[in-house]
DNA sequence: CTTGCCGGGAG
DNA sequence: CTCCCGGCAAG
């Protein structure tokens, strides 16, 4: 029984998520750029999530946004430059030293990640806005480092490891970290994996390829909550670890992904192919009920936090929506979808 | 109680 | 494979 359940889950997963390694068309590459931009946009604005929506505008003009966290370009030499998303008049304003504490740990290079003590996004919000926000239950965060080199996507558990990987495998350098010029920093990203209640079936805690991550992780609505946090990691970026609102099935975020977040529903994305040239204003795509990032983007890992549910509860919760039986009634049984007629899960009114 | 649907059986 | 249904679990 559980096996078939897993298969079902897998179906759901594969239908909503593409394999990251899929070959990309030009268009998709462009979408990656946009994705990158959106991520960064979200990263830079997300602390505002905790303010009421009314305050969004105010917040956008607020101090740290003016600091400019928008990537406006990424030159071939590998250096980001920054400018505000809507106000390009101020591109060179240095980034404010926002809650630097949350970055020190993984900038330190030698460390293997500050897993459990890393500030969570609540802290960032509190620091920035001085709001006494009720603290969320501490998550068991697993910090991983993912290689962003094109078609690589290797995930290692330590920054040093990923740096060495990039240095040796991609940059073709054979020396120790001592002779590093720090270029590796551009080619990996830190992934915070919220393993909260992910006990069942999620073997992705150990270093695995992203394709495995996304294709085998139980993501359906019945899956345990899983949360990736992604933020870029190098000296020229100052971004807080944040949640990005989700676009998946459970998401009801009305319009954009830079505003109107629903903090309880979150996901984040990551992308590959670091040498991305991004120009222009990031798009803020609207999304349909069941699709958004995850289906537009081949390299997006989208994970939604699901309602609390006992891990290991095998039986799928019953569908909520109206089913053939309810809609047509017993007397019109021949109007039912075949599945309903056969007492199987309704195919016509899928949840 | 009703309803959705899993597991399994019959043809 | 199609079709059916016992029976369980959720509501």
């Amino acid at each position: 029984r559980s096996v078939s359940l897993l298969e079902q889950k897998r179906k759901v997963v594969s239908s909503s998520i593409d394999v990251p390694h899929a070959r990309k068309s030009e268009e998709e590459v462009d979408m990656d750029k946009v994705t990158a931009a959106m991520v960064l946009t979200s990263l830079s604005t997300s602390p505002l999530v905790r303010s009421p929506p009314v305050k969004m505008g105010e917040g956008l003009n607020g101090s740290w946004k003016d600091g400019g966290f928008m990537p406006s370009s990424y030159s071939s030499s590998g250096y980001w430059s920054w400018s505000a998303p809507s106000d390009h008049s101020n591109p060179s304003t240095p980034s404010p030293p926002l809650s630097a504490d949350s970055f020190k740990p993984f900038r330190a290079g030698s460390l293997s990640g500050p897993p459990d003590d890393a500030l969570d996004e609540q802290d960032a919000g509190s620091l920035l806005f001085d709001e006494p926000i009720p603290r969320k239950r501490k998550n068991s965060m697993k910090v991983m480092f993912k290689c962003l080199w094109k078609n690589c996507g290797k995930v290692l558990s330590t920054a040093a490891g990923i740096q060495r990987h990039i240095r040796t495998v991609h940059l073709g350098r054979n020396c120790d970290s001592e002779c590093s010029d720090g270029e590796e920093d551009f080619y990996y990203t830190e992934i915070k994996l919220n393993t909260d209640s992910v006990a069942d079936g999620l073997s992705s805690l150990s270093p695995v390829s992203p394709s495995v991550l996304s294709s085998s992780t139980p993501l359906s609505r019945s899956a345990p909550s899983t949360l990736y946090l992604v933020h870029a990691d190098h000296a020229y970026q100052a971004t807080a670890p944040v949640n990005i609102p989700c676009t998946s099935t459970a998401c009801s975020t009305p319009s954009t992904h830079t505003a109107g977040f629903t903090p309880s529903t979150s996901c984040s994305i990551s992308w590959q192919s670091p040498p991305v040239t991004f120009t222009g204003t990031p798009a803020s795509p609207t999304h349909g009920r069941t699709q958004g990032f995850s289906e537009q983007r081949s390299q997006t890992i989208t994970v939604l936090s699901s309602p609390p549910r006992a891990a290991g509860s095998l039986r799928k919760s019953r569908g909520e929506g109206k089913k053939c039986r309810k809609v047509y009634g017993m007397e019109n049984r021949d109007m039912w979808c075949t599945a309903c007629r056969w007492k199987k899960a309704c195919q016509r009114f899928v949840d």
Side-chain angles (χ1 to χ4, degrees):
Chain A
R1 184 169 199 137
S2 58
V3 171
S4 79
L5 203 108
L6 264 175
E7 281 169 6
Q8 287 187 345
K9 285 182 179 177
R10 221 161 309 193
K11 263 187 229 163
V12 173
V13 169
S14 57
S15 66
S16 63
I17 292 192
D18 291 331
V19 180
H21 283 304
R23 204 174 165 76
K24 286 171 298 176
S25 68
E26 286 280 77
E27 192 175 287
E28 282 169 328
V29 171
D30 277 336
M31 288 312 291
D32 287 343
K33 295 170 192 170
V34 174
T35 303
M38 285 171 50
V39 171
L40 290 160
T41 305
S42 302
L43 289 173
S44 65
T45 57
S46 58
L48 300 170
V49 164
R50 313 197 186 271
S51 309
V54 182
K55 287 192 168 182
M56 282 303 283
E58 185 183 319
L60 286 170
N61 296 325
S63 56
W64 82 295
K65 186 62 186 287
D66 280 350
F69 293 114
M70 287 305 306
S72 64
S73 66
Y74 187 89
S75 72
S76 55
S77 61
Y79 288 84
W80 285 91
S81 65
W82 301 90
S83 66
S86 52
D87 177 11
H88 289 265
S89 64
N90 198 13
S92 57
T93 306
S95 305
L98 65 105
S99 59
D101 285 354
S102 52
F103 302 103
K104 271 181 198 156
F106 69 90
R107 284 297 313 152
S110 60
L111 85 178
S112 56
D116 288 328
D117 285 332
L119 291 180
D120 60 27
E121 64 279 12
Q122 291 276 0
D123 290 330
S126 305
L127 275 170
L128 285 167
F129 295 97
D130 225 45
E131 287 171 8
I133 301 166
R135 199 183 168 77
K136 261 199 297 192
R137 184 169 50 89
K138 246 204 161 81
N139 298 324
S140 44
M141 284 296 204
K142 180 97 180 177
V143 179
M144 306 296 282
F145 297 86
K146 178 184 173 186
C147 178
L148 294 173
W149 199 271
K150 192 168 185 175
N151 294 331
C152 177
K154 192 175 182 65
V155 177
L156 293 175
S157 57
T158 65
I162 198 71
Q163 284 173 3
R164 191 180 49 229
H165 159 81
I166 291 164
R167 207 159 45 236
T168 57
V169 177
H170 299 309
L171 299 178
R173 296 173 192 171
N174 261 331
C175 47
D176 278 346
S177 52
E178 279 76 31
C179 74
S180 157
D181 60 5
E183 189 180 346
E184 310 90 342
D185 283 358
F186 292 106
Y187 301 118
Y188 72 90
T189 188
E190 183 184 10
I191 296 175
K192 278 188 182 174
L193 177 59
N194 179 356
T195 62
D196 196 352
S197 79
V198 199
D200 94 278
L202 192 65
S203 57
S204 54
L205 295 185
S206 53
V208 290
S209 84
S211 59
V212 175
L213 262 178
S214 59
S215 62
S216 68
T217 306
L219 295 178
S220 74
R221 65 187 178 282
S222 59
S225 76
T226 307
L227 170 64
Y228 289 97
L229 295 181
V230 172
H231 54 258
D233 171 30
H234 52 66
Y236 307 94
Q237 287 175 285
T239 53
V242 293
N243 289 344
I244 299 169
C246 193
T247 61
S248 302
T249 36
C251 181
S252 56
T253 308
S255 55
T256 72
H257 285 276
T258 55
F261 295 168
T262 45
S264 61
T265 310
S266 59
C267 68
S268 65
I269 61 177
S270 68
W271 69 98
Q272 282 180 286
S273 319
V276 160
T277 304
F278 168 69
T279 51
T281 309
S284 300
T286 57
H287 62 285
R289 194 176 65 83
T290 59
Q291 57 187 8
F293 279 29
S294 58
E295 289 189 359
Q296 294 168 11
R297 210 124 301 95
S298 63
Q299 297 181 333
T300 299
I301 299 173
T302 303
V303 184
L304 66 142
S305 64
S306 59
R309 195 160 180 273
S313 165
L314 288 176
R315 197 178 178 98
K316 183 180 156 194
S317 73
R318 61 192 274 153
E320 246 103 287
K322 288 232 183 290
K323 297 291 153 58
C324 293
R325 181 190 175 113
K326 270 230 184 96
V327 171
Y328 304 110
M330 280 301 252
E331 55 282 359
N332 294 315
R333 200 162 180 268
D334 46 358
M335 294 174 66
W336 297 6
C337 68
T338 44
C340 278
R341 261 184 281 128
W342 300 344
K343 287 212 211 169
K344 299 292 186 202
C346 181
Q347 293 170 327
R348 187 170 300 164
F349 305 105
V350 220
D351 302 304

